Amino acid sequence: MNVSSIHAEGSVIKCRERGSADLSVTCDTTVQLLCTPPAGDPSPEMTLNRHLLLISNSTLHGGGYLEHCQDNIQRFLGAKVKRVLFIPYALHDRDSYATTARQKFEGLGYALDSVHEAADPVDAVQKSEAIFIGGGNTFRLLKDLYDHGLVSVIRKRVIEDGIPYIGSSAGTNVATVSINTTNDMPIVYPPSLQALGLVPFNINPHFLDPEPSSRHMGETREQRICQYHLEPQTPPVLGLREGCMLLVEGNRATLLGITNARLFTRGKSPTEHAPGQDFSFLLDP
């Protein structure tokens, strides 16, 4: 709309479009008019400088911590990154968690600092070369990200500054629109379920298929995701089985790993996708 004037009359905002009659919008509360995208929310036409590796699980049956994806991590980080900032907020024992992560990343050739050891977490994120957020409880993780004022800071570093972001399990959950499709119990309450929003859809890590011989009568993972999509305006949900991960480079997304993913879209039947699938269409807002 080519607007020539905007003015308010009580609870009615009137916009005059060039060459047209007045267009009135009635509102009950304050209305914010944005002529440009809000800070940290690039326009759809912009190619985002984001580099994400979103992993379903940290440990695959029969292997060690991050063993199944260590080659992907090394290719993703490359030789330019020297130090990784680890965010261990998803687990209660952060010292032990940081030790585990540090041993793994040092073995891959990268130094690792843990944000919980920093005097100023915000400053640590602002100075980081790359970020890794590990698994655990997604509610605990997101609450601490909010409590330490890191949500917008991480988003800026990843979306605007283009530093690499690795998420595993809960760390993958918080990279998405919201944590509505996590598998975890709400043991604490973050101020919002809205997450980092590095991608415009949701992910369900550790996606499980029904076991035909099981006598369990509770909802399947698929049924729970479909229940989520009964709510209006809910984004797609990518079910990542253990052993697969999503690589996002700018506006391109590709499924990697050794297992298939299952895509759920509101109003449509779920679809199966093998490694190598181009999921770039999910990045369209």
Side-chain angles (χ1 to χ4, degrees):
M1 181 172 66
N2 192 3
V3 177
S4 61
S5 65
I6 301 175
H7 67 280
E9 297 180 3
S11 62
V12 176
I13 291 178
K14 290 195 172 183
C15 307
R16 178 176 292 277
E17 185 179 5
R18 290 186 178 92
S20 70
D22 286 337
L23 302 175
S24 299
V25 178
T26 303
C27 55
D28 296 325
T29 56
T30 302
V31 171
Q32 183 181 19
L33 295 175
L34 300 174
C35 297
T36 58
D41 190 13
S43 64
E45 296 79 12
M46 184 183 299
T47 298
L48 300 180
N49 187 29
R50 58 185 162 196
H51 308 279
L52 319 174
L53 185 63
L54 305 178
I55 307 165
S56 176
N57 53 301
S58 301
T59 305
L60 190 64
H61 179 73
Y65 181 68
L66 297 177
E67 183 178 345
H68 71 288
C69 56
Q70 62 184 16
D71 292 342
N72 300 94
I73 291 173
Q74 285 183 304
R75 284 193 295 269
F76 177 70
L77 293 177
K80 186 177 180 180
V81 172
K82 305 299 181 184
R83 306 190 72 88
V84 174
L85 181 66
F86 178 52
I87 299 181
Y89 293 156
L91 290 185
H92 185 266
D93 187 349
R94 297 167 182 175
D95 290 336
S96 177
Y97 200 6
T99 297
T100 299
R102 183 173 289 117
Q103 290 174 346
K104 185 63 186 182
F105 275 81
E106 287 179 349
L108 298 178
Y110 304 98
L112 183 139
D113 304 304
S114 184
V115 75
H116 85 287
E117 298 168 344
D120 185 345
V122 171
D123 184 64
V125 170
Q126 290 174 335
K127 294 178 178 178
S128 61
E129 298 177 39
I131 293 173
F132 169 47
I133 303 186
N137 185 278
T138 309
F139 291 91
R140 173 183 278 136
L141 168 59
L142 187 58
K143 181 179 186 299
D144 278 8
L145 291 177
Y146 274 112
D147 288 350
H148 290 91
L150 297 183
V151 172
S152 61
V153 182
I154 292 173
R155 177 175 169 79
K156 180 182 182 301
R157 290 293 285 141
V158 176
I159 294 294
E160 297 183 23
D161 300 338
I163 69 167
Y165 176 99
I166 301 174
S168 178
S169 189
T172 288
N173 265 324
V174 297
T176 68
V177 173
S178 72
I179 65 169
N180 289 82
T181 55
T182 180
N183 305 310
D184 300 329
M185 293 184 179
I187 59 174
V188 295
Y189 296 104
S192 171
L193 297 182
Q194 296 300 300
L196 297 173
L198 306 181
V199 292
F201 55 91
N202 277 0
I203 288 177
N204 178 248
H206 307 276
F207 179 78
L208 283 173
D209 297 292
E211 174 54 53
S213 62
S214 174
R215 295 185 178 182
H216 176 68
M217 296 303 294
E219 296 98 333
T220 65
R221 192 71 55 80
E222 182 162 324
Q223 287 172 329
R224 289 180 175 179
I225 295 173
C226 290
Q227 289 171 355
Y228 168 67
H229 277 148
L230 292 176
E231 297 301 316
Q233 298 180 332
T234 42
V237 178
L238 186 61
L240 293 181
R241 294 181 177 89
E242 294 192 350
C244 70
M245 64 207 80
L246 189 71
L247 175 66
V248 179
E249 296 283 2
N251 290 340
R252 184 174 179 84
T254 309
L255 184 67
L256 305 178
I258 59 173
T259 53
N260 289 2
R262 193 160 176 82
L263 178 62
F264 299 85
T265 304
R266 189 174 189 270
K268 299 181 180 179
S269 298
T271 52
E272 281 289 314
H273 302 273
Q277 171 69 47
D278 184 351
F279 277 120
S280 302
F281 63 91
L282 288 177
L283 300 176
D284 294 333

